[in-house]
Amino acid sequence: MKESTILENYEFKPEVTEFNNVSFKNSDFSNRCLEDGEFVDCTFISCDFSMSQLKNTVLIRVKFINCKLLGVDFSICSSFAFSVYFEDCVLNYAHFHKNNLKKIAFKNCMIKEAGFFNLDLSASKFGNCDLSHTVFESCNLSKSDFATASNYSINPSVNNIKKAKFSYPGLLGLLYHLDIIIED
């Protein structure tokens, strides 16, 4: 397999939109229009994608490590072979809708006030993720792992949580929608 090309402090050029087996480091993609771009087998390390536009952007086997992705709408990405991985990322206000996210992994991420709507998230992992005020609606969360996640609120009546993993006290997040008082 060919060694990955490394681009550090890369300045995005709208005329170059196809990348294969490239690692980007310390690059700023914030507020950029990456429309119709194609990233295959790429890794982004310590990059900023805040408020980037990803309309029809292809993301195949893409890793985001220590990246800032504030307000990114992944629902407008191309659904063709969509596959991503997030580690040590900030995904606050991100939006996920329609793409197949089966077995997606979020590791040590802050995912506050984000939205997951009408998705298949089965067998996904939310390892050590803070999910404060994040909404899950009409999602298949079966066999997903929330055991080390915190601050989630998931309504079991509008999501499939069969065989999903939770731990105490986090599992109280499954009762939040009932507006009840739980005392120790």
Side-chain angles (χ1 to χ4, degrees):
M1 186 169 160
K2 183 180 129 182
E3 191 173 315
S4 177
T5 301
I6 299 173
L7 298 176
E8 191 155 0
N9 297 311
Y10 178 75
E11 267 195 54
F12 180 72
K13 299 167 186 81
E15 62 275 7
V16 182
T17 59
E18 291 184 18
F19 299 92
N20 193 331
N21 199 25
V22 176
S23 289
F24 296 89
K25 291 184 177 180
N26 303 311
S27 299
D28 186 359
F29 296 92
S30 64
N31 296 303
R32 299 290 198 295
C33 180
L34 304 173
E35 187 171 332
D36 299 316
E38 186 174 301
F39 298 91
V40 179
D41 294 316
C42 290
T43 301
F44 295 93
I45 302 166
S46 300
C47 294
D48 187 353
F49 277 86
S50 297
M51 302 305 292
S52 293
Q53 298 297 313
L54 301 176
K55 187 176 181 185
N56 298 321
T57 301
V58 175
L59 300 174
I60 301 174
R61 294 178 304 277
V62 172
K63 294 180 182 178
F64 295 95
I65 300 169
N66 195 37
C67 291
K68 188 172 162 185
L69 301 120
L70 297 174
V72 175
D73 186 353
F74 290 96
S75 70
I76 60 175
C77 289
S78 169
S79 58
F80 175 74
F82 182 85
S83 60
V84 290
Y85 168 84
F86 299 97
E87 184 175 338
D88 298 314
C89 291
V90 177
L91 289 142
N92 298 348
Y93 315 107
H95 187 79
F96 295 88
H97 176 74
K98 86 174 175 159
N99 286 327
N100 178 1
L101 300 179
K102 270 185 177 180
K103 299 182 180 180
I104 189 172
F106 296 92
K107 185 177 177 185
N108 303 319
C109 293
M110 190 177 305
I111 312 171
K112 293 182 176 182
E113 297 187 46
F116 293 87
F117 304 97
N118 301 307
L119 294 170
D120 186 351
L121 283 159
S122 56
S124 295
K125 295 183 180 184
F126 292 86
N128 294 313
C129 291
D130 183 347
L131 297 164
S132 298
H133 304 288
T134 289
V135 176
F136 292 89
E137 189 173 302
S138 300
C139 293
N140 179 1
L141 301 171
S142 62
K143 298 182 182 176
S144 289
D145 188 348
F146 291 90
T148 58
S150 61
N151 302 316
Y152 53 84
S153 174
I154 299 170
N155 184 341
S157 65
V158 296
N159 294 286
N160 175 1
I161 62 167
K162 189 173 185 172
K163 298 198 185 267
K165 294 179 187 175
F166 300 96
S167 63
Y168 185 82
L171 111 99
L172 296 175
L174 299 176
L175 303 173
Y176 182 78
H177 71 284
L178 298 174
D179 197 24
I180 59 176
I181 298 168
I182 300 170
E183 295 181 356
D184 278 336

